[in-house]
Amino acid sequence: MLILVRHGQTAANARGLLCGRADPPLTDLGGRQARALAAVLPRPSRVVSSPLGRARATAAAFAPAGVEVDERWIEMDYGTLDGAAPADVDVATWSRWRTDPDFVPAGGESLAAVGVRVREACRDLASDAARGDVVVVSHVSPIKAAVAWALGLADVAVWRLFLADAGVCRIDTGGRVPRLVTFSDPG
């Protein structure tokens, strides 16, 4: 099973801000969320993490000495919009971003680029996840891109999904095609 875990809460997440490559630490609640998930999820054969500290701190609860860092699981680069509240993004930019997967916010990364790197990462983990549980600790955009991969959906479909802090998604990779088993489960 490919078990995708969104990192625990940060102060930016709690305020509803776009938090891309900025790297705020977990809040006390975020640390408790990570430990609680590690206590209830199956012991994985592998733990993979985004390189950002909030994801690595969450992943450490699953495997304190054995976390693999994979750059492909890093959060989308929101460029100049990093740290902004969605309500502060002008309507034209927000509309284009949500309908055009190739749109790149100033200094950032397109949704399509996130989809390409995450689909590659999913394919690379699929055979291991078919034989044992693989936990990936990442961020909202890459995890939603992985769900789109599992469901065979276009990149823009991810805008219609809400993934909670410390939310868990499970993708069964043991069949002919991946199959989404759970989405945004609190664990």
Side-chain angles (χ1 to χ4, degrees):
M1 187 72 61
L2 183 58
I3 302 171
L4 305 169
V5 176
R6 184 177 179 198
H7 61 79
Q9 183 194 67
T10 68
N13 298 130
R15 293 178 47 212
L17 303 178
L18 296 172
C19 189
R21 302 290 172 89
D23 201 11
L26 297 178
T27 60
D28 288 341
L29 173 60
R32 289 192 307 273
Q33 289 170 326
R35 290 186 297 278
L37 286 174
V40 298
L41 291 176
R43 186 169 183 89
S45 57
R46 287 175 73 179
V47 178
V48 178
S49 176
S50 154
L52 295 177
R54 61 191 186 264
R56 289 192 350 248
T58 303
F62 291 91
V67 175
E68 303 170 40
V69 173
D70 185 336
E71 295 282 336
R72 295 174 296 184
W73 291 101
I74 196 168
E75 179 58 289
M76 174 187 246
D77 188 345
Y78 297 129
T80 58
L81 298 177
D82 205 339
D88 294 337
V89 178
D90 71 85
V91 173
T93 299
W94 193 250
S95 177
R96 180 147 182 235
W97 200 5
R98 293 177 67 93
T99 58
D100 179 0
D102 295 313
F103 172 73
V104 178
E109 172 184 34
S110 73
L111 190 60
V114 174
V116 167
R117 65 178 161 85
V118 169
R119 284 189 294 275
E120 177 186 40
C122 288
R123 287 189 299 267
D124 287 351
L125 291 173
S127 63
D128 281 355
R131 291 189 304 273
D133 293 322
V134 175
V135 167
V136 175
V137 181
S138 186
H139 311 273
V140 68
S141 297
I143 292 173
K144 291 193 307 184
V147 169
W149 165 77
L151 297 175
L153 298 174
D155 292 321
V156 295
V158 304
W159 291 110
R160 295 177 180 230
L161 303 173
F162 175 80
L163 179 61
D165 294 337
V168 177
C169 301
R170 291 173 183 84
I171 299 173
D172 180 353
T173 60
R176 265 187 36 254
V177 296
R179 184 174 61 100
L180 182 64
V181 178
T182 61
F183 180 79
S184 201
D185 182 8

